[in-house]
Amino acid sequence: MLPGAVIDKRVSEAFLAAAQPPELEISFAVSQEATRQAGELERQWALRIERANYEARNAERRYKAVDPENRVVARTLEGDWEEKLREVEHVEREYEQARRRKKVVLNEEDQRRILELAGDLPQVWRSTTTTQQQRKNLLRILVHEVTLTPIDVPVRSTRVQVLWESGIVTEYRVERRRNRAGGQAAPEAEKLISRLVKRGQYDDDIAVVLNHKGLKTGTGRSWNIHSVRRVRTRLGVSRPAATTATTKAPNQRADGLYSTRGVAERFKVSTPTVRHWIKAGHLCVADGGGRGRPAWFNLDDDTVARLQARVVASSKNSPGGAS
């Protein structure tokens, strides 16, 4: 996110700096060196065209390198390539327009009057009686166009390019602020996150559910454990703490799933017996398990019958059991 006020401030500073008498005198001297100025202008345009063509070639290579079977990625990369080609055409059209644009030639009297006015320009610019429209009119004297290009690597920033009426381009980089609140996700996604947390689901599991439903983050990306955590933090929804040696899981959750201890008490066996059932494949984990998280089990009719049969068989085989 980059507020417009930041852009306005940088462009205004560049304009006032360029309109100061020392800078204007230098500009006058440079303008008289038509050959050198033309060479500098050509160099600036050559760099812009070269950069646009370079980005287009990169987009083409990425498109041609992708597996054609991966149609979603292929369509995305093809769109990027077409966009870069349009940018090349746009820059080349601007270059032709700049070449046809007539340059203003100032005599000594014109230069003297401009220098006199430039001394008062900062005060006029900052005056409370100067309207925004008047400031825009002043900008148009020297500034032809301002373009903004978002950049994500190596850091999130915006490239601000000021194209002056002389044809010279001044470039700035302004860092974009990260949305530390995790983005304003769709209300449907936020409600689902709150509901799943209350059911005892963890962030990584919630991310899987959100992606399965096709929901996106506030920035249009797929969900992961970090984006779920950011939204959950912003909503003030606390994640259940992991079970520790001093905090035992309840025998049964609100959704009906049983803990290891709950299964043991249900069938009047020890917890090592339950762990043996898990290892032997007689009992399957329905949720959790690993990474310090408790395992939960669904005791449906088939599972109950299967485990009850194990209990009966174990009772018959134990000393003193039924023959």
Side-chain angles (χ1 to χ4, degrees):
M1 180 183 296
L2 185 63
V6 176
I7 302 298
D8 293 342
K9 182 174 183 294
R10 293 303 298 269
V11 174
S12 299
E13 290 172 350
F15 169 74
L16 293 175
Q20 290 303 298
E23 284 70 21
L24 288 175
E25 290 176 350
I26 295 175
S27 298
F28 294 154
V30 171
S31 66
Q32 294 172 359
E33 301 173 7
T35 303
R36 192 193 69 79
Q37 185 186 56
E40 174 67 14
L41 178 59
E42 288 293 330
R43 189 183 71 83
Q44 292 278 356
W45 278 109
L47 289 174
R48 291 187 67 191
I49 294 173
E50 180 182 357
R51 183 186 299 115
N53 279 296
Y54 174 76
E55 294 178 353
R57 289 194 299 270
N58 278 347
E60 179 184 6
R61 282 195 294 268
R62 288 193 295 267
Y63 168 67
K64 291 183 176 180
V66 72
D67 185 353
E69 295 298 325
N70 197 337
R71 298 179 180 178
V72 175
V73 176
R75 284 198 298 269
T76 300
L77 294 178
E78 184 180 17
D80 291 341
W81 181 21
E82 293 175 350
E83 181 181 354
K84 296 301 180 184
L85 291 176
R86 287 192 293 269
E87 290 179 5
V88 172
E89 295 177 356
H90 176 70
V91 173
E92 290 177 343
R93 283 197 303 269
E94 284 189 331
Y95 171 58
E96 291 300 323
Q97 293 173 2
R99 291 184 62 186
R100 292 193 297 267
R101 191 179 300 125
K102 293 182 179 180
K103 298 295 184 292
V104 177
V105 179
L106 303 176
N107 58 34
E108 292 185 0
E109 178 60 21
D110 292 331
Q111 294 180 15
R112 184 186 64 79
R113 293 182 60 187
I114 290 174
L115 289 172
E116 290 177 353
L117 292 173
D120 297 330
L121 182 58
Q123 292 182 348
V124 173
W125 182 270
R126 299 185 179 96
S127 174
T128 56
T129 59
T130 303
T131 65
Q132 285 298 108
Q133 186 58 47
Q134 290 171 330
R135 292 188 181 94
K136 290 181 180 179
N137 292 337
L138 288 171
L139 281 174
R140 292 192 184 102
I141 297 173
L142 297 180
V143 178
H144 174 69
E145 184 182 34
V146 177
T147 60
L148 308 178
T149 306
I151 300 173
D152 291 325
V153 292
V155 294
R156 286 171 51 85
S157 59
T158 296
R159 181 171 62 210
V160 182
Q161 293 176 307
V162 181
L163 174 61
W164 303 93
E165 286 294 342
S166 65
I168 302 298
V169 178
T170 303
E171 184 174 305
Y172 304 95
R173 293 288 182 96
V174 182
E175 185 175 354
R176 298 205 308 271
R177 297 183 304 184
R178 295 182 179 273
N179 191 340
R180 301 189 181 278
Q184 294 292 332
E188 180 184 358
E190 295 184 351
K191 290 179 181 178
L192 183 57
I193 289 173
S194 298
R195 187 163 65 251
L196 293 176
V197 170
K198 291 177 181 177
R199 288 183 181 178
Q201 297 286 334
Y202 286 71
D203 296 342
D204 49 352
D205 297 324
I206 294 175
V208 172
V209 174
L210 292 169
N211 291 328
H212 180 72
K213 289 182 173 293
L215 299 173
K216 298 294 183 181
T217 67
T219 55
R221 294 185 172 88
S222 297
W223 292 91
N224 56 38
I225 187 172
H226 304 293
S227 53
V228 172
R229 182 182 301 135
R230 284 194 295 268
V231 172
R232 181 171 52 73
T233 300
R234 177 168 54 79
L235 296 176
V237 180
S238 299
R239 180 179 65 82
T243 300
T244 65
T246 58
T247 304
K248 294 183 178 180
N251 286 357
Q252 189 175 12
R253 282 192 336 198
D255 58 2
L257 296 183
Y258 285 77
S259 66
T260 302
R261 183 161 52 90
V263 174
E265 293 189 10
R266 169 75 181 270
F267 293 95
K268 301 297 188 289
V269 297
S270 64
T271 53
T273 298
V274 175
R275 295 190 184 96
H276 173 73
W277 288 346
I278 299 171
K279 187 175 181 181
H282 304 308
L283 178 62
C284 298
V285 177
D287 183 36
R291 293 180 294 177
R293 295 169 52 184
W296 297 90
F297 307 90
N298 180 24
L299 297 183
D300 54 29
D301 293 341
D302 291 340
T303 302
V304 170
R306 181 170 61 253
L307 297 182
Q308 191 62 51
R310 301 301 304 176
V311 172
V312 172
S314 176
S315 176
K316 289 180 178 180
N317 294 331
S318 64
S323 58

